[in-house]
Amino acid sequence: RTATIDQLADAVVAGGGQSQERSKTYASFDAGKLVRGAKTLELYALPDNGAVTEAIYTLPSFMDVGQVKRMADLVSAKYGDMTAMEGEWGVGNVVAEWDRGDNVFVTVSRGWPSTTTSIKFINLPSKNYRDKLVEQRKAAEIEQKAKAVNQAL
């Protein structure tokens, strides 16, 4: 829960993940050796301290609509009964959620018509803070562009 992106990235590589991209706030790995069927693992972190806000496994399903249920069963085996679910296992969008009680949530989801499954580990307070920083940065960029246009006129 308090791991930094460098700590997790080093552990992922030690576990067999192959680094694809790595920066202070983002890292991606080929996750095929970490989770059966996984294509990638992405880590997102705060810019100020490197605390991980999200870890996302992506598992292409090749139209296997049962994959999301199998992944949810694996998560249930580790974290117990899910705390919320939206959708149907067999068709359409589905999201299952586990609230670990420490501001960390785990979700297993599938979009539609794409049947790719995602497993997300989310540190909610850190993610909300990161989202706020991203919005502030975007607003600053828009303001800077507006100033540049005004100066050009």
Side-chain angles (χ1 to χ4, degrees):
R1 168 173 138 88
T2 58
T4 67
I5 195 165
D6 289 334
Q7 291 168 331
L8 276 183
D10 291 345
V12 167
V13 170
Q18 294 181 338
S19 183
Q20 296 174 330
E21 182 179 343
R22 191 165 168 181
S23 73
K24 183 174 143 180
T25 58
Y26 175 79
S28 69
F29 305 88
D30 178 333
K33 292 182 180 178
L34 302 172
V35 174
R36 181 188 295 173
K39 181 174 178 145
T40 59
L41 168 62
E42 296 175 287
L43 304 175
Y44 295 86
L46 294 174
D48 51 354
N49 63 10
V52 173
T53 61
E54 290 179 277
I56 304 170
Y57 284 97
T58 302
L59 298 92
S61 74
F62 307 104
M63 301 307 291
D64 176 2
V65 296
Q67 181 187 55
V68 69
K69 174 74 166 102
R70 290 191 304 276
M71 294 300 108
D73 289 344
L74 288 173
V75 172
S76 285
K78 179 157 180 84
Y79 297 112
D81 293 337
M82 66 186 84
T83 52
M85 182 179 162
E86 294 179 22
E88 300 291 329
W89 294 121
V91 66
N93 294 329
V94 64
V95 178
E97 180 178 274
W98 291 259
D99 179 351
R100 292 186 19 180
D102 57 356
N103 285 321
V104 174
F105 293 82
V106 181
T107 65
V108 176
S109 62
R110 175 194 61 220
W112 198 265
S114 168
T115 55
T116 296
T117 300
S118 294
I119 303 172
K120 296 181 183 182
F121 298 83
I122 304 165
N123 179 319
L124 195 56
S126 295
K127 181 188 180 307
N128 289 342
Y129 178 64
R130 189 192 79 207
D131 291 348
K132 181 179 172 185
L133 292 175
V134 168
E135 287 303 315
Q136 288 173 344
R137 188 191 79 231
K138 286 180 183 177
E141 288 173 359
I142 289 170
E143 185 177 330
Q144 213 164 27
K145 286 179 184 177
K147 283 182 183 178
V149 168
N150 285 338
Q151 289 175 352
L153 297 176

